[in-house]
Amino acid sequence: MKRLAIVMFAGIISLPAVVLSQDTITLSRNEIWSKVSEKNLQLKIQDQEFKSAQADFKQSNALFLPDVSVSHTGISTTNPLMAFGSKLNQEILTPSDFNPALLNNPEVTTNFATKVQVLQPLVNLDGVFGRQAAKSKMEAMQLQSERTKEYLELETGKAFMQLQLAYKAVNVLEKAELTADANLKLIDNYFKQGLLQKTDVLSVQVRVNEIKNQVQLAKSNVRNASDYLAFLMQEDMNGKIYRPVEDLENSISIAEPNTGLTDGRKDIQAMMKSADAYEAVLKSAKMNFLPRLNAFGTYELYDNKLFGAEAKGYLVGVQLSWNVFDGYKSIGKRQKALADYTRAEAASSQYKAQSQMELNKTNRQLNDAGHKVSLAKLALEQSQEAYRIRNNRFKQGLEKTSDLLGSETQMFQKELEYLQAVFEYNFTQQYLTFLTK
């Protein structure tokens, strides 16, 4: 009996038993995936991470576009230098303003200045490679987002198949319950006729109670599988359960093994893009030692009234700057970038090797699962025939009650094992497709 329970719940999480709700929602595989792709929170999180990387890349447009700012400043001063400069900017100086007494002790002077300032980057090689790094990171996040969607499609398919398997388990165990009830009725009649002992009746009653408990647990697992699908679709079940439109496949189609790992797989591409980003960061750190060339310009309006514009002037220029030494900061930044790039390259190589190992393992699992299905199918057919023979012999008084019960248990156990084997093969086949996608 323990073996029967273990087989029935393989791959399905057990929780306290609940009664199946009458409020059942039927869904097909395509309907479920449509809702998952639209509402799943993991996909939304991944999408926002991509948008964050995309925003970082857009910030690098500052490497080519001008920085424009506008300001309006008002001051009131008796500072000799500021007072004289303010009048000069306002173009209101007179000969009397050069009086030493007024220069040294000016009256209160008011000045309002409106300034439009433009900064235009010209040559910043470190920024060019920084932009490349931001672009590679954005592309890596996009590929990772697409791979996450592929994984969720696989996970949704698995959850749907688990729901199908849970319903099949309920059907098989309910069939076992009907058979056990019929056997109990038959054995009780034999007991009343004095053909069997009370212990035979009690053994069958124990068997019936065990099956009823397993049916209840199987129904609870339907609820568990429904809850997981609801979680993937971000839906509130409120006591409802799902019922699949399609039945669980009870046969398999043998597939040829696929041992070729391609660099076109999106997660592998994402790892390579990530390494490219670190390489660009390293180049940017190296370019940090080179000078930068930038242009600047201002257009200024001055007046002694708020928002006035009586006097005007402009300033344009070009600046070549070179940070010769910044206290080892740039050197340390370059060393860190080199270490990060080396780590990213190693991580990419390790991921490829690990993916190839997983692919080889899954091919072997698929081959083993195919043999398991064949043996499980043969065992099911043999157990069904054995039960039919023992049942006929029992009715003729040629078999013991314990032998009949053992044969009955084995028959339903083998049916559940076969369904589980088909589930494992079909999912392994889907997983192999995911690994080679």
Side-chain angles (χ1 to χ4, degrees), residues 120-299:
Q120 176 64 56
L122 296 178
V123 179
N124 294 276
L125 295 178
D126 58 332
V128 172
F129 289 107
R131 177 177 171 84
Q132 290 181 6
K135 183 179 181 180
S136 294
K137 179 183 176 183
M138 179 187 69
E139 292 172 345
M141 292 304 303
Q142 183 178 18
L143 289 166
Q144 192 60 47
S145 179
E146 293 173 359
R147 186 60 175 176
T148 299
K149 190 171 184 178
E150 291 177 352
Y151 171 76
L152 275 174
E153 186 175 6
L154 174 72
E155 187 67 14
T156 300
K158 178 183 178 182
F160 184 75
M161 290 168 61
Q162 286 179 330
L163 181 64
Q164 292 175 314
L165 182 62
Y167 271 105
K168 276 291 187 180
V170 171
N171 293 337
V172 170
L173 289 169
E174 285 179 341
K175 184 169 61 175
E177 185 179 12
L178 291 175
T179 302
D181 287 338
N183 286 337
L184 176 60
K185 185 176 180 180
L186 177 63
I187 290 173
D188 189 55
N189 288 335
Y190 285 168
F191 169 71
K192 291 176 180 179
Q193 297 172 21
L195 300 177
L196 293 175
Q197 301 294 322
K198 181 65 175 178
T199 54
D200 294 318
V201 178
L202 292 175
S203 296
V204 179
Q205 287 176 340
V206 169
R207 165 66 176 159
V208 169
N209 291 334
E210 287 178 343
I211 293 178
K212 289 182 182 296
N213 182 57
Q214 291 169 9
V215 169
Q216 188 61 35
L217 290 174
K219 290 179 179 180
S220 178
N221 279 277
V222 171
R223 166 74 68 190
N224 299 336
S226 294
D227 286 348
Y228 185 54
L229 280 173
F231 166 75
L232 292 175
M233 294 185 291
Q234 294 303 311
E235 290 192 349
D236 186 4
M237 294 300 292
N238 290 326
K240 301 175 184 178
I241 62 169
Y242 293 122
R243 177 181 289 275
V245 173
E246 303 95 337
D247 288 331
L248 180 71
E249 296 180 10
N250 58 3
S251 61
I252 64 172
S253 56
I254 302 298
E256 293 294 328
N258 190 342
T259 58
L261 183 67
T262 172
D263 287 342
R265 218 174 74 178
K266 291 183 175 61
D267 54 337
I268 294 178
Q269 287 185 30
M271 291 292 293
M272 295 169 65
K273 284 292 182 181
S274 179
D276 290 344
Y278 281 110
E279 183 180 15
V281 170
L282 175 60
K283 291 179 180 179
S284 176
K286 291 179 179 179
M287 296 299 106
N288 197 44
F289 292 96
L290 298 180
R292 299 177 179 85
L293 182 64
N294 300 293
F296 61 88
T298 60
Y299 184 73

Side-chain angles (χ1 to χ4, degrees), residues 24-78:
T24 302
I25 302 173
T26 57
L27 285 175
S28 67
R29 182 191 295 266
N30 291 336
E31 288 174 327
I32 291 175
W33 170 238
S34 177
K35 291 185 177 182
V36 169
S37 59
E38 178 183 354
K39 300 179 181 179
N40 184 265
L41 290 181
Q42 183 60 39
L43 288 178
K44 292 182 179 180
I45 292 171
Q46 199 72 40
D47 182 59
Q48 294 306 312
E49 290 179 350
F50 165 70
K51 288 182 178 179
S52 176
Q54 188 179 48
D56 287 338
F57 175 65
K58 288 181 179 179
Q59 290 182 46
S60 67
N61 288 335
L63 181 66
F64 309 108
L65 301 179
D67 182 344
V68 181
S69 63
V70 179
S71 66
H72 185 76
T73 306
I75 64 169
S76 179
T77 181
T78 58

Side-chain angles (χ1 to χ4, degrees), residues 316-335:
V316 294
V318 177
Q319 181 187 49
L320 179 66
S321 61
W322 193 350
N323 193 345
V324 179
F325 181 70
D326 56 5
Y328 216 76
K329 181 180 177 181
S330 295
I331 297 175
K333 183 178 179 181
R334 178 182 175 278
Q335 291 175 345

